[in-house]
Coordinates of all heavy atoms in Angstrom, one line a residue:
L1 N -7.3 -4.8 -18.5 CA -7.0 -3.4 -18.7 C -6.0 -3.3 -19.9 O -5.0 -4.0 -20.0 CB -6.3 -2.9 -17.4 CG -5.8 -1.5 -17.3 CD1 -7.0 -0.5 -17.5 CD2 -5.1 -1.3 -16.0
L2 N -6.4 -2.4 -20.8 CA -5.6 -2.2 -22.0 C -5.1 -0.7 -22.0 O -5.9 0.2 -21.8 CB -6.4 -2.4 -23.2 CG -5.7 -2.5 -24.5 CD1 -4.7 -3.6 -24.6 CD2 -6.7 -2.7 -25.7
I3 N -3.8 -0.5 -22.1 CA -3.2 0.8 -22.1 C -2.6 1.1 -23.5 O -1.8 0.2 -24.0 CB -2.1 0.9 -21.0 CG1 -2.7 0.7 -19.6 CG2 -1.5 2.3 -21.0 CD1 -1.7 0.5 -18.5
R4 N -2.9 2.2 -24.1 CA -2.3 2.5 -25.3 C -1.4 3.8 -25.1 O -1.8 4.8 -24.6 CB -3.4 2.8 -26.4 CG -4.2 1.6 -26.7 CD -5.2 2.0 -27.9 NE -6.1 1.0 -28.0 CZ -5.9 -0.1 -28.8 NH1 -4.8 -0.3 -29.4 NH2 -6.9 -1.0 -28.9
A5 N -0.2 3.7 -25.6 CA 0.7 4.8 -25.6 C 1.5 4.9 -26.8 O 2.2 4.0 -27.2 CB 1.7 4.7 -24.4
A6 N 1.4 6.0 -27.5 CA 2.2 6.3 -28.8 C 2.1 5.1 -29.7 O 1.0 4.7 -30.1 CB 3.6 6.6 -28.4
A7 N 3.2 4.4 -30.0 CA 3.2 3.3 -31.0 C 3.0 2.0 -30.3 O 3.0 1.0 -31.0 CB 4.4 3.4 -31.8
D8 N 2.9 1.9 -29.0 CA 2.8 0.6 -28.3 C 1.5 0.4 -27.7 O 0.7 1.3 -27.4 CB 3.9 0.6 -27.2 CG 5.3 0.6 -27.7 OD1 5.5 0.3 -28.8 OD2 6.2 0.9 -26.9
T9 N 1.1 -0.8 -27.5 CA -0.1 -1.2 -26.8 C 0.3 -2.2 -25.7 O 1.1 -3.1 -25.9 CB -1.1 -2.0 -27.7 OG1 -1.5 -1.1 -28.8 CG2 -2.3 -2.4 -26.9
I10 N -0.1 -1.9 -24.5 CA 0.3 -2.7 -23.3 C -1.0 -3.3 -22.7 O -1.9 -2.5 -22.3 CB 1.0 -1.9 -22.3 CG1 2.3 -1.3 -22.9 CG2 1.4 -2.8 -21.1 CD1 3.0 -0.3 -22.0
D11 N -1.1 -4.6 -22.6 CA -2.2 -5.3 -22.0 C -1.8 -5.7 -20.5 O -0.8 -6.4 -20.4 CB -2.6 -6.5 -22.8 CG -3.8 -7.3 -22.2 OD1 -4.5 -6.7 -21.4 OD2 -4.0 -8.4 -22.5
V12 N -2.5 -5.2 -19.5 CA -2.2 -5.4 -18.1 C -3.3 -6.3 -17.5 O -4.5 -6.0 -17.6 CB -2.0 -4.1 -17.4 CG1 -1.8 -4.3 -15.9 CG2 -1.0 -3.2 -18.0
S13 N -2.9 -7.3 -16.8 CA -3.8 -8.2 -16.1 C -3.3 -8.5 -14.7 O -2.1 -8.6 -14.5 CB -4.1 -9.5 -16.8 OG -3.0 -10.2 -17.0
I14 N -4.2 -8.6 -13.7 CA -3.8 -9.0 -12.4 C -4.2 -10.4 -12.2 O -5.4 -10.8 -12.4 CB -4.5 -8.1 -11.3 CG1 -4.3 -6.6 -11.6 CG2 -4.1 -8.5 -9.9 CD1 -2.9 -6.2 -11.5
T15 N -3.3 -11.3 -11.8 CA -3.5 -12.7 -11.7 C -3.2 -13.2 -10.3 O -2.2 -12.9 -9.7 CB -2.6 -13.5 -12.7 OG1 -2.8 -12.9 -14.0 CG2 -2.9 -14.9 -12.6
P16 N -4.2 -13.9 -9.6 CA -3.9 -14.5 -8.3 C -3.1 -15.8 -8.5 O -3.4 -16.5 -9.5 CB -5.2 -14.7 -7.7 CG -6.1 -14.9 -8.8 CD -5.6 -14.1 -10.0
R17 N -2.2 -16.2 -7.6 CA -1.5 -17.5 -7.7 C -1.3 -18.0 -6.3 O -0.7 -17.3 -5.5 CB -0.2 -17.3 -8.4 CG 0.6 -18.6 -8.6 CD 1.9 -18.5 -9.3 NE 1.7 -18.0 -10.6 CZ 2.6 -17.3 -11.3 NH1 3.8 -17.2 -10.8 NH2 2.4 -16.9 -12.5
V18 N -1.9 -19.2 -6.0 CA -1.7 -19.8 -4.7 C -0.3 -20.3 -4.6 O 0.2 -21.1 -5.5 CB -2.7 -21.0 -4.5 CG1 -2.4 -21.7 -3.2 CG2 -4.1 -20.5 -4.6
I19 N 0.5 -19.8 -3.6 CA 1.9 -20.2 -3.5 C 2.1 -21.1 -2.2 O 3.1 -21.8 -2.1 CB 2.8 -19.1 -3.4 CG1 2.5 -18.1 -2.3 CG2 2.8 -18.3 -4.7 CD1 3.6 -18.1 -1.3
Q20 N 1.1 -21.2 -1.4 CA 1.2 -22.1 -0.2 C -0.2 -22.5 0.2 O -1.1 -21.6 0.2 CB 1.9 -21.3 0.9 CG 2.2 -22.2 2.1 CD 3.0 -21.5 3.1 OE1 2.4 -20.7 3.9 NE2 4.3 -21.6 3.2
A21 N -0.4 -23.7 0.5 CA -1.7 -24.2 0.9 C -1.6 -25.3 2.0 O -0.7 -26.1 1.9 CB -2.5 -24.8 -0.3
Q22 N -2.4 -25.2 3.0 CA -2.5 -26.3 4.0 C -3.9 -26.6 4.2 O -4.8 -25.8 4.0 CB -1.9 -25.7 5.3 CG -0.5 -25.3 5.3 CD -0.1 -24.6 6.6 OE1 -0.9 -24.2 7.4 NE2 1.2 -24.5 6.8
K23 N -4.2 -27.9 4.6 CA -5.5 -28.3 4.9 C -5.6 -28.9 6.3 O -4.6 -29.4 6.8 CB -6.1 -29.2 3.9 CG -5.4 -30.5 3.7 CD -6.1 -31.3 2.6 CE -5.3 -32.6 2.5 NZ -5.9 -33.5 1.4
Q24 N -6.8 -28.7 6.9 CA -7.0 -29.2 8.3 C -8.4 -29.8 8.4 O -9.4 -29.1 8.0 CB -6.9 -28.0 9.3 CG -7.2 -28.4 10.7 CD -7.3 -27.1 11.6 OE1 -7.5 -26.0 11.2 NE2 -7.1 -27.4 12.9
V25 N -8.5 -31.0 8.8 CA -9.8 -31.7 8.9 C -10.4 -31.2 10.2 O -9.8 -31.3 11.3 CB -9.6 -33.2 8.9 CG1 -10.9 -33.9 9.1 CG2 -8.9 -33.7 7.6
V26 N -11.6 -30.7 10.1 CA -12.5 -30.3 11.2 C -13.8 -30.9 10.9 O -13.9 -32.0 10.4 CB -12.5 -28.8 11.4 CG1 -11.2 -28.2 11.9 CG2 -12.9 -28.1 10.1
A27 N -14.9 -30.3 11.2 CA -16.2 -30.8 10.9 C -16.5 -30.6 9.4 O -17.6 -30.6 9.0 CB -17.3 -30.2 11.7
G28 N -15.5 -30.4 8.7 CA -15.5 -30.2 7.2 C -14.0 -30.1 6.9 O -13.2 -30.9 7.4
M29 N -13.6 -29.1 6.2 CA -12.2 -28.9 5.9 C -11.8 -27.4 5.9 O -12.5 -26.6 5.3 CB -11.9 -29.5 4.5 CG -10.4 -29.5 4.1 SD -9.5 -30.8 5.0 CE -10.1 -32.3 4.1
N30 N -10.7 -27.1 6.6 CA -10.2 -25.7 6.5 C -9.0 -25.7 5.5 O -8.2 -26.6 5.5 CB -9.6 -25.3 7.9 CG -10.7 -24.7 8.8 OD1 -11.6 -24.1 8.3 ND2 -10.5 -24.8 10.1
Y31 N -9.0 -24.7 4.6 CA -7.9 -24.5 3.7 C -7.2 -23.2 4.0 O -7.9 -22.2 4.0 CB -8.4 -24.5 2.3 CG -9.0 -25.9 1.8 CD1 -10.3 -26.1 1.8 CD2 -8.1 -26.9 1.4 CE1 -10.9 -27.3 1.4 CE2 -8.7 -28.1 1.0 CZ -10.0 -28.3 1.0 OH -10.6 -29.5 0.7
K32 N -6.0 -23.2 4.4 CA -5.3 -22.0 4.7 C -4.3 -21.7 3.5 O -3.5 -22.5 3.2 CB -4.4 -22.1 6.0 CG -5.3 -22.4 7.2 CD -4.5 -22.5 8.5 CE -5.5 -22.8 9.6 NZ -4.8 -22.7 10.9
L33 N -4.6 -20.6 2.9 CA -3.9 -20.2 1.6 C -3.1 -19.0 1.7 O -3.5 -18.0 2.4 CB -4.9 -20.1 0.5 CG -5.9 -21.2 0.3 CD1 -7.0 -20.7 -0.7 CD2 -5.3 -22.5 -0.1
I34 N -2.0 -18.9 1.1 CA -1.3 -17.7 0.8 C -1.3 -17.4 -0.7 O -1.0 -18.3 -1.5 CB 0.2 -17.7 1.3 CG1 0.2 -17.8 2.8 CG2 0.9 -16.4 0.9 CD1 1.6 -17.9 3.4
I35 N -1.8 -16.3 -1.1 CA -2.1 -16.0 -2.5 C -1.3 -14.8 -2.9 O -1.4 -13.7 -2.3 CB -3.6 -15.8 -2.7 CG1 -4.4 -17.0 -2.3 CG2 -3.9 -15.4 -4.2 CD1 -5.9 -16.9 -2.4
F36 N -0.5 -15.0 -4.0 CA 0.2 -13.8 -4.6 C -0.7 -13.1 -5.6 O -1.5 -13.7 -6.2 CB 1.4 -14.4 -5.4 CG 2.7 -14.6 -4.6 CD1 2.7 -14.5 -3.2 CD2 3.9 -14.9 -5.3 CE1 3.9 -14.8 -2.5 CE2 5.1 -15.1 -4.6 CZ 5.1 -15.0 -3.2
L37 N -0.5 -11.8 -5.7 CA -1.2 -11.0 -6.7 C -0.1 -10.6 -7.7 O 0.9 -9.9 -7.3 CB -1.9 -9.8 -6.1 CG -3.1 -10.2 -5.3 CD1 -3.7 -8.9 -4.7 CD2 -4.1 -11.0 -6.1
L38 N -0.2 -11.0 -8.9 CA 0.8 -10.7 -9.9 C 0.3 -9.8 -11.0 O -0.9 -10.0 -11.5 CB 1.3 -12.0 -10.6 CG 1.9 -13.0 -9.6 CD1 2.1 -14.4 -10.2 CD2 3.3 -12.5 -9.1
C39 N 1.0 -8.8 -11.4 CA 0.6 -8.0 -12.5 C 1.4 -8.4 -13.7 O 2.7 -8.5 -13.7 CB 1.0 -6.5 -12.2 SG 0.6 -5.4 -13.5
Q40 N 0.7 -8.8 -14.7 CA 1.3 -9.3 -16.0 C 1.1 -8.2 -17.1 O -0.1 -7.8 -17.3 CB 0.8 -10.6 -16.4 CG 1.0 -11.7 -15.4 CD 0.4 -13.0 -15.8 OE1 -0.7 -13.0 -16.4 NE2 1.0 -14.1 -15.3
Q41 N 2.2 -7.8 -17.6 CA 2.1 -6.8 -18.7 C 2.6 -7.4 -20.0 O 3.7 -7.9 -20.1 CB 3.0 -5.6 -18.4 CG 2.6 -4.9 -17.1 CD 3.6 -3.7 -16.8 OE1 4.5 -3.5 -17.5 NE2 3.3 -3.1 -15.7
H42 N 1.7 -7.4 -21.0 CA 1.9 -8.0 -22.3 C 2.0 -6.8 -23.3 O 0.9 -6.2 -23.5 CB 0.9 -9.0 -22.7 CG 0.6 -10.0 -21.6 ND1 1.5 -11.1 -21.4 CD2 -0.4 -10.2 -20.7 CE1 1.0 -11.8 -20.4 NE2 -0.1 -11.3 -20.0
G43 N 3.1 -6.5 -23.8 CA 3.2 -5.4 -24.7 C 3.5 -5.8 -26.1 O 4.1 -6.8 -26.3
S44 N 2.9 -5.1 -27.0 CA 3.2 -5.4 -28.5 C 4.0 -4.2 -29.0 O 3.5 -3.3 -29.7 CB 2.0 -5.6 -29.3 OG 1.1 -4.4 -29.2
A45 N 5.3 -4.1 -28.5 CA 6.1 -3.0 -28.9 C 6.4 -3.1 -30.4 O 6.2 -4.1 -31.1 CB 7.5 -3.1 -28.2
V46 N 6.8 -2.0 -31.0 CA 7.0 -1.9 -32.4 C 8.1 -2.9 -32.8 O 7.9 -3.5 -33.9 CB 7.5 -0.4 -32.8 CG1 7.9 -0.4 -34.3 CG2 6.4 0.5 -32.5
T47 N 9.1 -3.1 -32.1 CA 10.2 -4.0 -32.5 C 9.9 -5.4 -32.2 O 10.1 -6.3 -33.0 CB 11.5 -3.5 -31.8 OG1 11.3 -3.5 -30.4 CG2 12.0 -2.2 -32.3
E48 N 9.5 -5.7 -30.9 CA 9.2 -7.1 -30.6 C 8.2 -7.2 -29.4 O 8.3 -6.3 -28.5 CB 10.4 -7.9 -30.4 CG 11.0 -7.9 -29.0 CD 12.4 -8.6 -28.9 OE1 13.3 -8.4 -29.7 OE2 12.4 -9.5 -28.0
P49 N 7.4 -8.2 -29.3 CA 6.5 -8.4 -28.2 C 7.2 -8.6 -26.9 O 8.3 -9.2 -26.9 CB 5.6 -9.6 -28.6 CG 5.9 -9.9 -30.0 CD 7.2 -9.3 -30.3
T50 N 6.7 -8.1 -25.8 CA 7.3 -8.3 -24.5 C 6.3 -8.8 -23.5 O 5.1 -8.5 -23.6 CB 7.9 -7.0 -24.0 OG1 6.9 -6.0 -23.9 CG2 9.0 -6.5 -24.9
T51 N 6.7 -9.5 -22.4 CA 5.9 -9.9 -21.3 C 6.7 -9.7 -20.0 O 7.8 -10.1 -19.9 CB 5.5 -11.4 -21.4 OG1 4.7 -11.6 -22.6 CG2 4.7 -11.8 -20.2
Q52 N 6.1 -9.0 -19.1 CA 6.7 -8.7 -17.8 C 5.8 -9.1 -16.7 O 4.6 -8.8 -16.8 CB 7.1 -7.3 -17.7 CG 7.8 -6.9 -16.5 CD 8.2 -5.4 -16.5 OE1 8.0 -4.7 -17.5 NE2 8.7 -4.9 -15.3
E53 N 6.3 -9.7 -15.6 CA 5.4 -10.1 -14.5 C 6.0 -9.4 -13.2 O 7.2 -9.5 -13.0 CB 5.4 -11.6 -14.3 CG 4.4 -12.1 -13.3 CD 4.3 -13.6 -13.4 OE1 5.1 -14.3 -12.8 OE2 3.3 -14.1 -14.0
T54 N 5.2 -8.7 -12.5 CA 5.6 -8.0 -11.3 C 4.8 -8.5 -10.1 O 3.5 -8.6 -10.2 CB 5.4 -6.5 -11.4 OG1 6.1 -6.1 -12.6 CG2 5.9 -5.7 -10.2
L55 N 5.4 -8.8 -9.0 CA 4.7 -9.2 -7.7 C 4.2 -7.9 -7.0 O 5.0 -7.0 -6.7 CB 5.7 -10.0 -6.8 CG 5.2 -10.3 -5.4 CD1 3.9 -11.3 -5.5 CD2 6.3 -11.0 -4.6
L56 N 2.9 -7.8 -6.9 CA 2.3 -6.7 -6.3 C 2.2 -6.8 -4.7 O 2.2 -5.8 -4.0 CB 0.9 -6.4 -6.8 CG 0.8 -6.1 -8.3 CD1 -0.7 -6.0 -8.7 CD2 1.5 -4.9 -8.7
G57 N 2.1 -8.0 -4.3 CA 1.9 -8.3 -2.9 C 1.2 -9.7 -2.7 O 1.1 -10.4 -3.6
A58 N 0.8 -9.9 -1.5 CA 0.1 -11.2 -1.2 C -0.8 -11.0 0.0 O -0.8 -10.0 0.7 CB 1.1 -12.3 -0.9
F59 N -1.6 -12.1 0.2 CA -2.5 -12.1 1.4 C -2.8 -13.5 1.8 O -2.5 -14.4 1.1 CB -3.8 -11.3 1.1 CG -4.7 -11.9 0.1 CD1 -5.6 -12.9 0.4 CD2 -4.5 -11.6 -1.3 CE1 -6.4 -13.4 -0.6 CE2 -5.3 -12.1 -2.3 CZ -6.2 -13.0 -2.0
Q60 N -3.2 -13.6 3.1 CA -3.5 -15.0 3.6 C -5.0 -15.0 3.8 O -5.7 -14.0 4.1 CB -2.9 -15.1 5.0 CG -1.4 -15.1 5.0 CD -0.8 -15.2 6.4 OE1 -1.5 -15.5 7.4 NE2 0.5 -15.0 6.5
V61 N -5.6 -16.2 3.6 CA -7.0 -16.4 3.7 C -7.3 -17.8 4.2 O -6.5 -18.8 3.8 CB -7.8 -16.1 2.4 CG1 -7.4 -17.0 1.3 CG2 -9.3 -16.1 2.6
T62 N -8.3 -18.0 5.0 CA -8.7 -19.4 5.4 C -10.1 -19.6 4.9 O -11.0 -18.8 5.1 CB -8.7 -19.5 7.0 OG1 -7.4 -19.3 7.5 CG2 -9.1 -20.9 7.4
V63 N -10.3 -20.7 4.2 CA -11.6 -21.0 3.6 C -12.1 -22.3 4.3 O -11.3 -23.3 4.4 CB -11.4 -21.2 2.1 CG1 -12.8 -21.7 1.5 CG2 -10.9 -20.0 1.4
Y64 N -13.3 -22.3 4.7 CA -13.9 -23.4 5.4 C -14.9 -24.1 4.4 O -15.7 -23.4 3.8 CB -14.7 -23.0 6.6 CG -15.4 -24.1 7.3 CD1 -14.8 -25.2 7.8 CD2 -16.8 -24.0 7.5 CE1 -15.5 -26.2 8.4 CE2 -17.5 -25.0 8.1 CZ -16.8 -26.1 8.6 OH -17.5 -27.1 9.2
D65 N -14.7 -25.4 4.2 CA -15.5 -26.2 3.3 C -16.3 -27.2 4.1 O -15.7 -28.1 4.6 CB -14.7 -26.9 2.2 CG -15.5 -27.7 1.2 OD1 -16.7 -27.8 1.3 OD2 -14.8 -28.3 0.4
R66 N -17.6 -26.9 4.2 CA -18.5 -27.9 5.0 C -19.3 -28.6 3.9 O -20.4 -28.2 3.6 CB -19.3 -27.2 6.0 CG -20.2 -28.1 6.7 CD -20.7 -27.5 8.0 NE -21.7 -28.3 8.7 CZ -21.5 -29.4 9.4 NH1 -20.2 -29.8 9.6 NH2 -22.5 -30.1 10.0
F67 N -18.7 -29.7 3.4 CA -19.4 -30.6 2.5 C -19.9 -29.8 1.3 O -21.1 -30.0 0.9 CB -20.5 -31.4 3.2 CG -20.0 -32.0 4.5 CD1 -20.4 -31.6 5.7 CD2 -19.0 -33.0 4.4 CE1 -19.9 -32.1 6.9 CE2 -18.6 -33.6 5.6 CZ -19.0 -33.2 6.8
G68 N -19.1 -29.0 0.7 CA -19.5 -28.2 -0.5 C -19.9 -26.8 -0.3 O -20.0 -26.0 -1.2
S69 N -20.3 -26.5 0.9 CA -20.7 -25.1 1.2 C -19.4 -24.4 1.7 O -19.0 -24.7 2.8 CB -21.8 -25.1 2.3 OG -22.1 -23.8 2.6
M70 N -18.9 -23.4 0.9 CA -17.6 -22.8 1.3 C -17.8 -21.4 1.8 O -18.7 -20.7 1.3 CB -16.7 -22.8 0.1 CG -16.4 -24.2 -0.4 SD -15.3 -24.2 -1.8 CE -13.8 -24.5 -1.0
S71 N -17.0 -21.0 2.8 CA -17.0 -19.6 3.3 C -15.6 -19.2 3.8 O -14.8 -20.1 4.1 CB -18.0 -19.5 4.5 OG -17.6 -20.4 5.5
I72 N -15.4 -17.9 3.7 CA -14.1 -17.4 4.2 C -14.3 -17.2 5.7 O -15.2 -16.5 6.1 CB -13.7 -16.1 3.5 CG1 -13.5 -16.4 2.0 CG2 -12.6 -15.5 4.2 CD1 -13.2 -15.2 1.2
T73 N -13.4 -17.8 6.5 CA -13.5 -17.6 7.9 C -12.5 -16.7 8.5 O -12.6 -16.2 9.6 CB -13.3 -19.0 8.6 OG1 -12.1 -19.6 8.3 CG2 -14.5 -20.0 8.3
E74 N -11.4 -16.4 7.7 CA -10.4 -15.5 8.2 C -9.6 -14.9 7.1 O -9.2 -15.6 6.2 CB -9.4 -16.2 9.2 CG -8.3 -15.3 9.7 CD -7.4 -16.1 10.6 OE1 -7.6 -17.3 10.9 OE2 -6.4 -15.5 11.0
W75 N -9.5 -13.5 7.1 CA -8.6 -12.8 6.2 C -7.3 -12.5 7.0 O -7.4 -11.9 8.1 CB -9.2 -11.5 5.7 CG -10.2 -11.7 4.7 CD1 -11.6 -11.5 4.9 CD2 -10.1 -12.0 3.3 NE1 -12.3 -11.7 3.7 CE2 -11.3 -12.0 2.7 CE3 -8.9 -12.2 2.5 CZ2 -11.5 -12.3 1.4 CZ3 -9.1 -12.5 1.2 CH2 -10.4 -12.5 0.6
G76 N -6.2 -13.0 6.5 CA -4.9 -12.7 7.2 C -4.4 -11.3 6.8 O -5.1 -10.6 6.0
P77 N -3.2 -11.0 7.2 CA -2.7 -9.7 6.9 C -2.3 -9.6 5.4 O -1.9 -10.6 4.8 CB -1.4 -9.6 7.8 CG -1.1 -11.0 8.0 CD -2.4 -11.8 8.1
E78 N -2.3 -8.4 4.8 CA -1.8 -8.2 3.5 C -0.3 -8.1 3.6 O 0.3 -7.7 4.7 CB -2.3 -6.9 2.9 CG -3.8 -6.8 2.7 CD -4.3 -5.5 2.2 OE1 -3.5 -4.6 2.0 OE2 -5.5 -5.3 2.1
M79 N 0.4 -8.5 2.6 CA 1.9 -8.5 2.6 C 2.4 -7.6 1.5 O 1.8 -7.6 0.4 CB 2.4 -9.9 2.4 CG 2.1 -10.8 3.5 SD 2.8 -12.5 3.1 CE 1.3 -13.4 3.2
T80 N 3.4 -6.9 1.7 CA 4.1 -6.1 0.7 C 4.8 -7.1 -0.2 O 5.0 -8.3 0.1 CB 5.2 -5.2 1.3 OG1 6.2 -6.0 1.9 CG2 4.5 -4.2 2.4
P81 N 5.3 -6.6 -1.4 CA 6.0 -7.5 -2.3 C 7.3 -8.1 -1.6 O 7.6 -9.2 -1.8 CB 6.4 -6.6 -3.4 CG 5.4 -5.5 -3.5 CD 5.0 -5.3 -2.0
E82 N 7.9 -7.3 -0.7 CA 9.1 -7.8 -0.1 C 8.8 -8.9 0.9 O 9.5 -9.9 1.0 CB 9.9 -6.6 0.7 CG 10.4 -5.6 -0.2 CD 9.4 -4.6 -0.8 OE1 8.3 -4.5 -0.2 OE2 9.7 -3.9 -1.8
Q83 N 7.7 -8.7 1.7 CA 7.2 -9.7 2.6 C 6.8 -11.0 1.9 O 7.1 -12.1 2.3 CB 6.1 -9.2 3.5 CG 6.5 -8.1 4.4 CD 5.3 -7.4 5.1 OE1 4.2 -7.2 4.4 NE2 5.4 -7.0 6.3
A84 N 6.1 -10.8 0.8 CA 5.6 -12.0 0.0 C 6.8 -12.8 -0.5 O 6.8 -14.0 -0.5 CB 4.7 -11.5 -1.1
A85 N 7.8 -12.1 -1.0 CA 9.0 -12.7 -1.6 C 9.7 -13.5 -0.5 O 10.2 -14.6 -0.7 CB 10.0 -11.7 -2.2
A86 N 9.7 -13.0 0.7 CA 10.4 -13.7 1.9 C 9.6 -15.0 2.2 O 10.2 -16.0 2.5 CB 10.5 -12.8 3.1
V87 N 8.3 -14.9 2.2 CA 7.4 -16.1 2.4 C 7.7 -17.2 1.4 O 7.8 -18.3 1.6 CB 5.9 -15.7 2.5 CG1 5.0 -17.0 2.4 CG2 5.6 -14.9 3.7
A88 N 7.8 -16.7 0.1 CA 8.0 -17.7 -1.0 C 9.3 -18.4 -0.9 O 9.5 -19.5 -1.3 CB 7.9 -17.0 -2.3
S89 N 10.3 -17.8 -0.2 CA 11.6 -18.4 -0.1 C 11.7 -19.4 1.0 O 12.7 -20.1 1.2 CB 12.7 -17.4 0.0 OG 12.6 -16.7 1.2
L90 N 10.7 -19.5 1.9 CA 10.7 -20.4 3.0 C 10.6 -21.9 2.6 O 10.0 -22.2 1.6 CB 9.6 -20.1 4.0 CG 9.7 -18.8 4.7 CD1 8.5 -18.5 5.6 CD2 11.0 -18.6 5.5

């Protein structure tokens, strides 16, 4: 996403980042993940380039891998930025 305003250009991207992962052996493998969603803003301001990263929130997901065939078996609750920050500090 590219935003243009007056003399500045701001490039905005949403990036997922795994911040916690666990695995469990079953008849394949379960991966339990907590994923942060980060908004990265890259601006080319008139005076100097800037980069800013903002935590938008997070979610939990369980992925089942049965010998290369992957599927999502559970979507956990969405987390607010405050809840996600609390999980990251554990």
Side-chain angles (χ1 to χ4, degrees):
L1 177 62
L2 189 63
I3 301 170
R4 294 185 191 276
D8 294 340
T9 300
I10 302 170
D11 181 19
V12 177
S13 60
I14 307 298
T15 306
R17 183 178 300 159
V18 175
I19 58 114
Q20 190 176 76
Q22 299 174 343
K23 62 182 178 178
Q24 175 187 23
V25 177
V26 288
M29 187 75 73
N30 274 330
Y31 296 97
K32 296 180 182 187
L33 310 170
I34 296 178
I35 300 174
F36 274 10
L37 294 177
L38 302 165
C39 177
Q40 297 174 332
Q41 299 176 359
H42 309 284
S44 57
V46 173
T47 54
E48 85 183 54
T50 59
T51 298
Q52 181 180 353
E53 189 171 81
T54 304
L55 176 60
L56 299 176
F59 62 92
Q60 298 176 9
V61 64
T62 302
V63 178
Y64 176 60
D65 180 0
R66 180 159 171 82
F67 312 110
S69 177
M70 300 180 98
S71 60
I72 294 173
T73 57
E74 181 181 354
W75 284 106
E78 295 176 5
M79 293 178 239
T80 65
E82 294 79 17
Q83 292 168 325
V87 168
S89 66
L90 295 179

